[in-house]
Amino acid sequence: MRLLQPVGAAFLAFLGAVGRLAMFAGQGVSHAFRPPFYGRLIGKQMVEIGYYSLPVVGMTTLFSGMVLALQSYTGFARFSAEGAVATVVVLSMTRELAPVLAGLMVAGRIGASIAAEIGTMRVTEQIDALTTLSTHPMKYLIAPRLIAGTTMLPVLVLIGDIIGVFGGYLVGVYKLDFNSTIYLERTIEYLETVDVVSGLVKAAVFGFIVALMGCYHGYNSKGGAQGVGRATTNAVVSASILILISNYFITELFFSK
Amino acid sequence: MTAEAKPPKISIRGVKKAFGPKVVLDGIDLDVDEGESVVVVGGSGTGKSVLIKCILGILDADSGSIKIDGTEACGASRQTRAELIRKMGMLFQGGALFDSLPVWENVAFGLIEAKGMNRKAARPIALENLHKVGLADRVADLYPAELSGGMQKRVSLARAIATGPEIIFFDEPTTGLDPIMADVINRLIVERVKELGATTLTITHDMGSVRKIADRVAMLHDGKIIWQGPVADIDTTDNPYVQQFVFGQEEGPIRIGGAR
Ligand SMILES: Nc1ncnc2c1ncn2[C@@H]1O[C@H](COP(=O)(O)OP(=O)(O)O)[C@@H](O)[C@H]1O
Ligand SMILES: [Mg+2]
């Protein structure tokens, strides 16, 4: 009995945390759909999350596409299936690698900066000041970031898909001596709409998760600079874990028959 | 209450607030009449900021009643709260300027958000408010981080009064400033408040501020208002708590830093 007590307490605390997060998410989303809309702020966040993440996502997907071509070639050569390289590259990129890598990269870049910014606003009373100036912090701070995260990550992933496939193509054609036309044909041949769409759906979910975790931990941070630091770490770690968990379930939703 | 008697601008009765096991406010009773300037004094961490945040609705009091112009604010609907907060302005302890916005947008924030003014129309009004706290036009496009502490306080003051609130709260307006700048801020507060005809509730440790700003003084200790009276009485009262505070002595009934 006494052994189980801390387990029960921890479980209750966990349920409480999940409940608070769900409430926060619900409020944020409902504000995202109700006027007034802060177009200027949404635009600013879109540039911050979308445009400034391009170099990071581009580099990550380029080299992943390249290494994927190399790895699958040497692996498949063992049972003379080298011809499948192009297909493997495009399916892996669109379904898995581009969304997950972009999601994790953006979690590090954006999740951290959102948590730090909102956390600083919390501990310096700027969030209270919003309230005294008749502005709902949820609408002014949280909703724009949720909107920008959810819409910009799919765009990033679509670009990442293309760059990743291009990386595979570079290695395939210039290093492994595939014929350029045949490589491209193989890339398209077995690709289905659902491969790309499932990746984009993942991206939207991951973008929402990253923005939500950054906002949630920042908004609830307390205790000065140290609290903001803790919020930043928690935002990145929790976003990364949630991305990997939800990735499994979305994959199952789309592809388990 | 007779029909012609106006209710106090702010009327606080039995307000309690605890954070977990820690009781911060333990039954506060305080009235502020229209046009009056009340100053609350008390040691650090006695809950002065918490009291103001309860009145503003940033924090929810655990129990008790807070009436603004006779309207109950504790447990009020979101809409009532929104209407009440439109009447109020607040100068935060640390300034709490939005560091992502230039100075003029900070000052214009309430005009744009609460009053629905467009940005073009709000800018000249923001500049005018900056002039009134002694800041020149060239400051308007700087960011808060580029300003000195005293200038930040002036901008915060300009932001707090830009919408012409009926009730203004000042949370330690002179803390962290040199004595000369503190005197300037005190003078600006008195001038601006007189011009607006506003009711004010100020928190301070600074006896200079108390003498300049206050009509009436209330002392907060151990979660209760233990003394209140006209500002002239603070030097003559025989209340040992007030005496200790006014003369800044270590010896006395107040124990600082949790010492017993
Ligand atoms: N949001 C909060 N959560 C928990 N404790 C708080 C919170 N705000 C204030 N407190 C505690 O309440 C006490 C009073 O704080 P405060 O009103 O800021 O003091 P002061 O009189 O110096 O303005 C402090 O001990 C502080 O730790
Ligand atoms: Mg305080």
Side-chain angles (χ1 to χ4, degrees), chain A residues 31 34 36 38 40-41 44 117 120-122 124-136 140, chain B residues 53 56 58 78 82 85-86 88 90 92-94 96-101 106 109-110 113-114 119 159:
Chain A
H31 276 287
R34 275 183 292 146
Y38 291 101
R40 170 190 290 269
L41 294 178
K44 192 173 152 195
E117 187 177 359
T120 304
M121 291 187 73
R122 165 62 74 201
T124 57
E125 300 185 308
Q126 291 178 52
I127 293 183
D128 292 339
L130 281 175
T131 308
T132 66
L133 294 164
S134 299
T135 303
H136 204 303
Y140 188 84
Chain B
K53 285 179 184 171
L56 282 161
I58 293 171
R78 196 175 307 178
I85 202 122
R86 260 175 240 277
M88 304 189 231
M90 165 86 174
F92 283 87
Q93 197 166 342
L97 293 173
F98 303 126
D99 44 31
S100 61
L101 298 178
N106 266 282
F109 201 93
E113 297 303 331
R119 294 165 57 83
R159 183 176 73 178

Side-chain angles (χ1 to χ4, degrees), chain B residues 102-105 123 127 130 136-143:
Chain B
V103 164
W104 82 266
E105 282 194 52
R123 187 173 160 107
L127 292 182
L130 284 171
D137 278 359
R138 71 185 160 74
V139 177
D141 293 307
L142 297 178
Y143 282 83

Side-chain angles (χ1 to χ4, degrees), chain B residues 49 93 171-172:
Chain B
S49 298
Q93 197 166 342
D171 192 350
E172 303 199 12

Side-chain angles (χ1 to χ4, degrees), chain B residues 19 22 24 43-51 59 93 171-172:
Chain B
F19 295 102
K22 182 172 180 179
V24 177
S44 298
T46 48
K48 304 183 298 296
S49 298
V50 169
L51 175 63
L59 292 172
Q93 197 166 342
D171 192 350
E172 303 199 12

